Amino acid sequence: MTEELQYAGEFVVEKAVIFTSEGVEIDIRKVLLSIDIYENIRTNAISGTLLINDPVALLSTGPLIGQEYLSLRIKTPARTKTEIFDYSEDLFSIIKVLDKTDLEGHQVYTLQFITHEGMKNTRTKIRRTLVGTESEIVENLFLNDLQSKKDLFIEPTSGNRKIIPANLRPFDICNQLTKTACSARENSPTYFFFENTKGYHFRSLESMYAQTPKFNFTYDSETGKSTSDGMENVLSELNKIQGYQANNGNDTVVNVRDGVYASKLI
């Protein structure tokens, strides 16, 4: 029987295990307070934080030093199907232990983690010559250097390139290629390189715009939760923008350096 989503943001942690550098496995589901997972088209790897309340010093059996691995499996109940966020085999790398404090006799930890490609990227530098289109070079880096098994969403580019990296990391090369890549389909130069829960993407804005929207978000200035027949309207809550801020991006110093005021056109 398919479970139903009871409220916006509900999820179930099916597996949360830390593997220490000494080979100890620690199940943290019962001491886990919160999970935050971040993805952005302007960041190259998924990252996140765990907040853990450890009243019996369970994590001291490790101990935690920021060199552990995290196996995580989360499901989101849905009315049509259950969505799965599965990193139980493709492990996260824990890179930092933040804000280790004592709270009423309990140890509270904040752990920061990233996907293993993000960690391997920091340990890998490219010294060989790279030849091909931007899309071919990106695919080459992921398959041969990062050895990623995740799905790759790479939009074909036009024009061949020859790159001689000066000990650059794979992600740095991919970021540079977004500045020169031009879509073979749309003739668009608006490329982004990022990771989300579906895999890694090297694609143009036009290809992303062409996708079917998942949600139509609306802003509601009214406080409180949406209800229907006295029950919380989950779908309405998921589609609600809770707040926004318009920033004034005008910076005279930056504009002068970029030549904004140097135009001689009349």
Side-chain angles (χ1 to χ4, degrees), residues 38-46 175 178 190-196 201-205 208-209 211:
Y38 309 100
E39 62 178 30
N40 191 314
I41 64 171
R42 297 187 183 276
T43 58
N44 303 146
I46 291 177
N175 287 327
T178 62
T190 57
Y191 267 74
F192 284 80
F193 166 59
F194 61 95
E195 181 189 13
N196 63 15
H201 300 251
F202 184 81
R203 58 196 301 191
S204 67
L205 279 176
M208 289 186 271
Y209 292 155
Q211 298 178 109

mmCIF file of all heavy atoms in Angstrom, residues 38-46 175 178 190-196 201-205 208-209 211:
data_model
loop_
_atom_site.group_PDB
_atom_site.id
_atom_site.type_symbol
_atom_site.label_atom_id
_atom_site.label_comp_id
_atom_site.label_asym_id
_atom_site.label_seq_id
_atom_site.Cartn_x
_atom_site.Cartn_y
_atom_site.Cartn_z
ATOM 1 N N TYR A 38 21.713 20.053 0.038
ATOM 2 C CA TYR A 38 21.738 21.224 -0.832
ATOM 3 C C TYR A 38 22.130 20.824 -2.261
ATOM 4 O O TYR A 38 23.096 20.090 -2.463
ATOM 5 C CB TYR A 38 22.741 22.260 -0.318
ATOM 6 C CG TYR A 38 22.565 22.610 1.134
ATOM 7 C CD1 TYR A 38 23.385 22.041 2.113
ATOM 8 C CD2 TYR A 38 21.586 23.513 1.550
ATOM 9 C CE1 TYR A 38 23.222 22.352 3.454
ATOM 10 C CE2 TYR A 38 21.418 23.829 2.892
ATOM 11 C CZ TYR A 38 22.243 23.248 3.836
ATOM 12 O OH TYR A 38 22.089 23.554 5.164
ATOM 13 N N GLU A 39 21.374 21.327 -3.219
ATOM 14 C CA GLU A 39 21.745 21.220 -4.618
ATOM 15 C C GLU A 39 21.434 22.544 -5.294
ATOM 16 O O GLU A 39 20.461 23.220 -4.949
ATOM 17 C CB GLU A 39 21.037 20.059 -5.308
ATOM 18 C CG GLU A 39 19.532 20.174 -5.340
ATOM 19 C CD GLU A 39 18.856 19.021 -6.074
ATOM 20 O OE1 GLU A 39 19.411 17.904 -6.066
ATOM 21 O OE2 GLU A 39 17.786 19.246 -6.661
ATOM 22 N N ASN A 40 22.278 22.904 -6.259
ATOM 23 C CA ASN A 40 22.171 24.216 -6.887
ATOM 24 C C ASN A 40 22.823 24.123 -8.261
ATOM 25 O O ASN A 40 23.855 23.472 -8.407
ATOM 26 C CB ASN A 40 22.883 25.264 -6.012
ATOM 27 C CG ASN A 40 22.595 26.689 -6.439
ATOM 28 O OD1 ASN A 40 22.640 27.024 -7.626
ATOM 29 N ND2 ASN A 40 22.316 27.550 -5.477
ATOM 30 N N ILE A 41 22.231 24.773 -9.269
ATOM 31 C CA ILE A 41 22.832 24.701 -10.596
ATOM 32 C C ILE A 41 24.149 25.477 -10.664
ATOM 33 O O ILE A 41 24.855 25.401 -11.673
ATOM 34 C CB ILE A 41 21.869 25.210 -11.689
ATOM 35 C CG1 ILE A 41 21.556 26.689 -11.520
ATOM 36 C CG2 ILE A 41 20.605 24.377 -11.730
ATOM 37 C CD1 ILE A 41 20.788 27.283 -12.704
ATOM 38 N N ARG A 42 24.500 26.198 -9.609
ATOM 39 C CA ARG A 42 25.774 26.916 -9.577
ATOM 40 C C ARG A 42 26.813 26.224 -8.681
ATOM 41 O O ARG A 42 27.878 26.774 -8.434
ATOM 42 C CB ARG A 42 25.562 28.357 -9.108
ATOM 43 C CG ARG A 42 24.682 29.169 -10.051
ATOM 44 C CD ARG A 42 24.616 30.626 -9.665
ATOM 45 N NE ARG A 42 23.724 31.380 -10.530
ATOM 46 C CZ ARG A 42 24.060 31.888 -11.708
ATOM 47 N NH1 ARG A 42 25.295 31.732 -12.144
ATOM 48 N NH2 ARG A 42 23.190 32.554 -12.433
ATOM 49 N N THR A 43 26.493 25.050 -8.174
ATOM 50 C CA THR A 43 27.460 24.273 -7.396
ATOM 51 C C THR A 43 27.677 22.928 -8.069
ATOM 52 O O THR A 43 26.772 22.362 -8.670
ATOM 53 C CB THR A 43 26.973 24.059 -5.953
ATOM 54 O OG1 THR A 43 25.699 23.403 -5.967
ATOM 55 C CG2 THR A 43 26.849 25.385 -5.220
ATOM 56 N N ASN A 44 28.889 22.413 -7.957
ATOM 57 C CA ASN A 44 29.290 21.235 -8.724
ATOM 58 C C ASN A 44 28.956 19.916 -8.062
ATOM 59 O O ASN A 44 29.018 18.873 -8.717
ATOM 60 C CB ASN A 44 30.798 21.284 -9.001
ATOM 61 C CG ASN A 44 31.230 22.533 -9.736
ATOM 62 O OD1 ASN A 44 32.318 23.034 -9.520
ATOM 63 N ND2 ASN A 44 30.377 23.058 -10.607
ATOM 64 N N ALA A 45 28.641 19.923 -6.779
ATOM 65 C CA ALA A 45 28.369 18.662 -6.089
ATOM 66 C C ALA A 45 27.306 18.869 -5.026
ATOM 67 O O ALA A 45 27.210 19.946 -4.426
ATOM 68 C CB ALA A 45 29.643 18.111 -5.447
ATOM 69 N N ILE A 46 26.512 17.834 -4.801
ATOM 70 C CA ILE A 46 25.536 17.861 -3.716
ATOM 71 C C ILE A 46 26.276 17.861 -2.383
ATOM 72 O O ILE A 46 27.265 17.140 -2.199
ATOM 73 C CB ILE A 46 24.598 16.651 -3.802
ATOM 74 C CG1 ILE A 46 23.678 16.771 -5.018
ATOM 75 C CG2 ILE A 46 23.754 16.507 -2.543
ATOM 76 C CD1 ILE A 46 22.770 15.576 -5.213
ATOM 77 N N ASN A 175 34.148 23.699 -15.224
ATOM 78 C CA ASN A 175 33.655 25.065 -15.043
ATOM 79 C C ASN A 175 34.203 26.000 -16.115
ATOM 80 O O ASN A 175 33.490 26.887 -16.597
ATOM 81 C CB ASN A 175 34.036 25.579 -13.650
ATOM 82 C CG ASN A 175 33.219 24.935 -12.545
ATOM 83 O OD1 ASN A 175 32.051 24.614 -12.733
ATOM 84 N ND2 ASN A 175 33.827 24.727 -11.394
ATOM 85 N N THR A 178 32.306 25.590 -19.425
ATOM 86 C CA THR A 178 30.981 26.218 -19.529
ATOM 87 C C THR A 178 31.065 27.605 -20.166
ATOM 88 O O THR A 178 30.077 28.091 -20.718
ATOM 89 C CB THR A 178 30.309 26.341 -18.145
ATOM 90 O OG1 THR A 178 31.112 27.185 -17.292
ATOM 91 C CG2 THR A 178 30.133 24.981 -17.488
ATOM 92 N N THR A 190 24.872 29.225 -23.004
ATOM 93 C CA THR A 190 24.487 29.374 -21.588
ATOM 94 C C THR A 190 24.619 28.044 -20.841
ATOM 95 O O THR A 190 23.631 27.498 -20.350
ATOM 96 C CB THR A 190 23.047 29.897 -21.476
ATOM 97 O OG1 THR A 190 22.177 28.981 -22.185
ATOM 98 C CG2 THR A 190 22.916 31.275 -22.082
ATOM 99 N N TYR A 191 25.835 27.527 -20.740
ATOM 100 C CA TYR A 191 26.040 26.216 -20.121
ATOM 101 C C TYR A 191 26.249 26.315 -18.618
ATOM 102 O O TYR A 191 26.837 27.283 -18.116
ATOM 103 C CB TYR A 191 27.238 25.511 -20.757
ATOM 104 C CG TYR A 191 26.843 24.600 -21.905
ATOM 105 C CD1 TYR A 191 26.464 25.133 -23.133
ATOM 106 C CD2 TYR A 191 26.817 23.223 -21.759
ATOM 107 C CE1 TYR A 191 26.086 24.318 -24.184
ATOM 108 C CE2 TYR A 191 26.442 22.389 -22.799
ATOM 109 C CZ TYR A 191 26.079 22.940 -24.000
ATOM 110 O OH TYR A 191 25.701 22.118 -25.033
ATOM 111 N N PHE A 192 25.768 25.274 -17.921
ATOM 112 C CA PHE A 192 25.976 25.130 -16.486
ATOM 113 C C PHE A 192 26.484 23.714 -16.214
ATOM 114 O O PHE A 192 26.151 22.772 -16.933
ATOM 115 C CB PHE A 192 24.682 25.366 -15.705
ATOM 116 C CG PHE A 192 24.297 26.808 -15.583
ATOM 117 C CD1 PHE A 192 23.659 27.465 -16.634
ATOM 118 C CD2 PHE A 192 24.583 27.521 -14.434
ATOM 119 C CE1 PHE A 192 23.303 28.792 -16.530
ATOM 120 C CE2 PHE A 192 24.220 28.853 -14.308
ATOM 121 C CZ PHE A 192 23.582 29.488 -15.366
ATOM 122 N N PHE A 193 27.267 23.602 -15.160
ATOM 123 C CA PHE A 193 27.779 22.300 -14.726
ATOM 124 C C PHE A 193 27.413 22.121 -13.263
ATOM 125 O O PHE A 193 27.817 22.906 -12.405
ATOM 126 C CB PHE A 193 29.301 22.243 -14.910
ATOM 127 C CG PHE A 193 29.952 21.095 -14.194
ATOM 128 C CD1 PHE A 193 29.598 19.776 -14.475
ATOM 129 C CD2 PHE A 193 30.929 21.324 -13.228
ATOM 130 C CE1 PHE A 193 30.186 18.720 -13.808
ATOM 131 C CE2 PHE A 193 31.517 20.277 -12.558
ATOM 132 C CZ PHE A 193 31.155 18.972 -12.842
ATOM 133 N N PHE A 194 26.606 21.074 -12.971
ATOM 134 C CA PHE A 194 26.123 20.900 -11.607
ATOM 135 C C PHE A 194 25.700 19.453 -11.382
ATOM 136 O O PHE A 194 25.573 18.657 -12.321
ATOM 137 C CB PHE A 194 24.947 21.838 -11.321
ATOM 138 C CG PHE A 194 23.748 21.605 -12.203
ATOM 139 C CD1 PHE A 194 22.697 20.796 -11.788
ATOM 140 C CD2 PHE A 194 23.654 22.198 -13.462
ATOM 141 C CE1 PHE A 194 21.585 20.576 -12.592
ATOM 142 C CE2 PHE A 194 22.538 21.988 -14.272
ATOM 143 C CZ PHE A 194 21.513 21.174 -13.839
ATOM 144 N N GLU A 195 25.465 19.142 -10.110
ATOM 145 C CA GLU A 195 24.944 17.832 -9.729
ATOM 146 C C GLU A 195 23.624 18.007 -9.010
ATOM 147 O O GLU A 195 23.455 18.918 -8.195
ATOM 148 C CB GLU A 195 25.914 17.092 -8.803
ATOM 149 C CG GLU A 195 25.415 15.706 -8.397
ATOM 150 C CD GLU A 195 26.236 15.032 -7.310
ATOM 151 O OE1 GLU A 195 27.054 15.726 -6.676
ATOM 152 O OE2 GLU A 195 26.049 13.819 -7.087
ATOM 153 N N ASN A 196 22.669 17.122 -9.311
ATOM 154 C CA ASN A 196 21.468 17.007 -8.501
ATOM 155 C C ASN A 196 21.216 15.533 -8.211
ATOM 156 O O ASN A 196 22.061 14.684 -8.508
ATOM 157 C CB ASN A 196 20.264 17.691 -9.164
ATOM 158 C CG ASN A 196 19.867 17.052 -10.481
ATOM 159 O OD1 ASN A 196 20.282 15.938 -10.808
ATOM 160 N ND2 ASN A 196 19.057 17.762 -11.247
ATOM 161 N N HIS A 201 25.163 17.116 -14.568
ATOM 162 C CA HIS A 201 24.631 17.812 -15.731
ATOM 163 C C HIS A 201 25.668 18.776 -16.300
ATOM 164 O O HIS A 201 26.315 19.523 -15.556
ATOM 165 C CB HIS A 201 23.379 18.611 -15.356
ATOM 166 C CG HIS A 201 22.269 17.773 -14.810
ATOM 167 N ND1 HIS A 201 21.105 17.509 -15.510
ATOM 168 C CD2 HIS A 201 22.133 17.137 -13.615
ATOM 169 C CE1 HIS A 201 20.313 16.755 -14.779
ATOM 170 N NE2 HIS A 201 20.923 16.512 -13.620
ATOM 171 N N PHE A 202 25.816 18.740 -17.607
ATOM 172 C CA PHE A 202 26.586 19.746 -18.355
ATOM 173 C C PHE A 202 25.684 20.130 -19.521
ATOM 174 O O PHE A 202 25.650 19.457 -20.539
ATOM 175 C CB PHE A 202 27.918 19.161 -18.827
ATOM 176 C CG PHE A 202 28.811 20.155 -19.526
ATOM 177 C CD1 PHE A 202 29.590 21.036 -18.791
ATOM 178 C CD2 PHE A 202 28.870 20.205 -20.908
ATOM 179 C CE1 PHE A 202 30.410 21.958 -19.426
ATOM 180 C CE2 PHE A 202 29.685 21.121 -21.555
ATOM 181 C CZ PHE A 202 30.464 21.998 -20.809
ATOM 182 N N ARG A 203 24.931 21.207 -19.345
ATOM 183 C CA ARG A 203 23.863 21.506 -20.299
ATOM 184 C C ARG A 203 23.531 22.986 -20.283
ATOM 185 O O ARG A 203 23.899 23.729 -19.362
ATOM 186 C CB ARG A 203 22.625 20.678 -19.973
ATOM 187 C CG ARG A 203 22.103 20.895 -18.570
ATOM 188 C CD ARG A 203 21.145 19.819 -18.124
ATOM 189 N NE ARG A 203 19.981 19.728 -19.003
ATOM 190 C CZ ARG A 203 18.904 19.005 -18.685
ATOM 191 N NH1 ARG A 203 18.862 18.320 -17.553
ATOM 192 N NH2 ARG A 203 17.881 18.958 -19.503
ATOM 193 N N SER A 204 22.804 23.401 -21.310
ATOM 194 C CA SER A 204 22.451 24.810 -21.462
ATOM 195 C C SER A 204 21.141 25.127 -20.752
ATOM 196 O O SER A 204 20.349 24.235 -20.430
ATOM 197 C CB SER A 204 22.334 25.162 -22.946
ATOM 198 O OG SER A 204 21.229 24.483 -23.522
ATOM 199 N N LEU A 205 20.927 26.411 -20.535
ATOM 200 C CA LEU A 205 19.674 26.849 -19.934
ATOM 201 C C LEU A 205 18.484 26.463 -20.806
ATOM 202 O O LEU A 205 17.422 26.096 -20.303
ATOM 203 C CB LEU A 205 19.693 28.362 -19.725
ATOM 204 C CG LEU A 205 20.418 28.902 -18.496
ATOM 205 C CD1 LEU A 205 20.409 30.418 -18.515
ATOM 206 C CD2 LEU A 205 19.783 28.385 -17.218
ATOM 207 N N MET A 208 17.230 23.075 -20.142
ATOM 208 C CA MET A 208 16.519 23.000 -18.865
ATOM 209 C C MET A 208 15.137 23.635 -18.970
ATOM 210 O O MET A 208 14.167 23.150 -18.386
ATOM 211 C CB MET A 208 17.345 23.661 -17.763
ATOM 212 C CG MET A 208 18.592 22.875 -17.372
ATOM 213 S SD MET A 208 19.482 23.572 -15.961
ATOM 214 C CE MET A 208 20.597 24.702 -16.795
ATOM 215 N N TYR A 209 15.037 24.723 -19.729
ATOM 216 C CA TYR A 209 13.739 25.368 -19.926
ATOM 217 C C TYR A 209 12.770 24.451 -20.660
ATOM 218 O O TYR A 209 11.546 24.544 -20.481
ATOM 219 C CB TYR A 209 13.907 26.659 -20.736
ATOM 220 C CG TYR A 209 14.639 27.764 -20.036
ATOM 221 C CD1 TYR A 209 15.308 28.748 -20.760
ATOM 222 C CD2 TYR A 209 14.666 27.842 -18.647
ATOM 223 C CE1 TYR A 209 15.983 29.773 -20.130
ATOM 224 C CE2 TYR A 209 15.341 28.864 -18.006
ATOM 225 C CZ TYR A 209 16.003 29.828 -18.753
ATOM 226 O OH TYR A 209 16.670 30.841 -18.123
ATOM 227 N N GLN A 211 12.264 21.364 -20.285
ATOM 228 C CA GLN A 211 11.712 20.303 -19.460
ATOM 229 C C GLN A 211 10.301 20.659 -18.972
ATOM 230 O O GLN A 211 9.960 21.823 -18.818
ATOM 231 C CB GLN A 211 12.611 20.057 -18.237
ATOM 232 C CG GLN A 211 14.016 19.608 -18.585
ATOM 233 C CD GLN A 211 14.858 19.443 -17.344
ATOM 234 O OE1 GLN A 211 15.189 18.333 -16.947
ATOM 235 N NE2 GLN A 211 15.213 20.543 -16.720
#
